[in-house]
Amino acid sequence: MESSPQAAELPPPPVHVAIIMDGNGRWARSRGLPRTAGHKRGAESVRRTVEAAREMGVSYLTLYGFSSENWKRPASEVADLMGLLRLYLRNEIANLHKNGIRLKVIGDRTRLGPDIVRMIEDAEARTESNVALTLVLALSYGGRQEIVEAMRSVARSVAAGTLSSDVIDETVVGAHLFTSGIPDPDLIIRTSGEKRISNFLLWQGAYAELVFIETLWPDFGRAELETALRDFHRRDRRFGGAR
């Protein structure tokens, strides 16, 4: 697919874009449909957005697919979401691989079904050499929990004598996060008009630009991604420095 004229006019894209995909339930409710319909339509938006990000030259795209707090939702809705995840892993990996996209999953896998964990491991292994785009899915993920686990890992290394407490710095902490080896996001987008980050990439997003858009996730696509990137390029990123 050819890029739109608008996309051709954009400056080089940010290296890493992260998206909080919000609004599936409201999209369905506004149409008198069950929440499941919103989640299914949201899965189509994932496909469109991944394709657009790859074509626009984004190197890393992280999607907040299922938070650690989402386990509190009704069991039937969680089961539906896990079913959609299974379908995605079963049906989309071949297409990702064909298009040179690497898949990486971050989060607490111990709460996922064993079959889902196996599919994730197989997909990561199959796509690990791809370089067109790295798609990071945050599943059973929470930013605070990630930092706690990183601290536990650091503490174990110190206790074992393989790490001195004197050398612990931001680089050491970053190396113990789920996102080790992945650059911090330049841009975090949240759909549906909500203006919070909801426990997403708390450490990594320290200097990310934030863009909040009214569009509900099932309606998100190339045009909305281009709009967010245009907003990003209007920002003056000083990282705490003076003008």
Side-chain angles (χ1 to χ4, degrees), residues 100-166:
I101 298 171
R102 174 193 176 202
L103 177 69
K104 180 175 175 60
V105 174
I106 60 174
D108 180 8
R109 300 187 187 188
T110 65
R111 303 189 70 179
L112 300 173
D115 63 318
I116 292 177
V117 174
R118 285 194 298 272
M119 284 192 282
I120 288 172
E121 291 173 346
D122 290 346
E124 288 180 326
R126 182 177 181 184
T127 63
E128 64 180 348
S129 298
N130 295 339
V131 297
L133 168 71
T134 295
L135 171 61
V136 183
L137 294 182
L139 302 174
S140 188
Y141 173 87
R144 288 182 173 180
Q145 295 87 334
E146 177 185 28
I147 294 170
V148 168
E149 288 302 316
M151 294 304 94
R152 288 174 176 167
S153 179
V154 169
R156 287 192 294 268
S157 296
V158 172
T162 59
L163 178 68
S164 170
S165 61
D166 294 335

Side-chain angles (χ1 to χ4, degrees), residues 29-79:
R29 187 167 58 249
S30 69
R31 290 162 174 77
L33 300 171
R35 289 178 65 88
T36 304
H39 295 316
K40 289 181 178 177
R41 184 65 175 262
E44 297 175 13
S45 297
V46 169
R47 186 181 302 112
R48 291 196 304 269
T49 303
V50 170
E51 179 180 352
R54 179 184 65 83
E55 293 177 352
M56 295 165 68
V58 173
S59 297
Y60 295 85
L61 175 67
T62 297
L63 302 178
Y64 202 5
F66 189 87
S67 75
S68 53
E69 289 79 15
N70 287 159
W71 291 109
K72 300 174 185 177
R73 292 187 178 186
S76 59
E77 183 177 355
V78 171

Side-chain angles (χ1 to χ4, degrees), residues 81-94:
L81 287 166
M82 291 298 109
L84 282 173
L85 175 58
R86 288 183 175 92
L87 283 174
Y88 185 85
L89 292 170
R90 188 177 299 120
N91 298 334
E92 293 296 323
I93 301 307

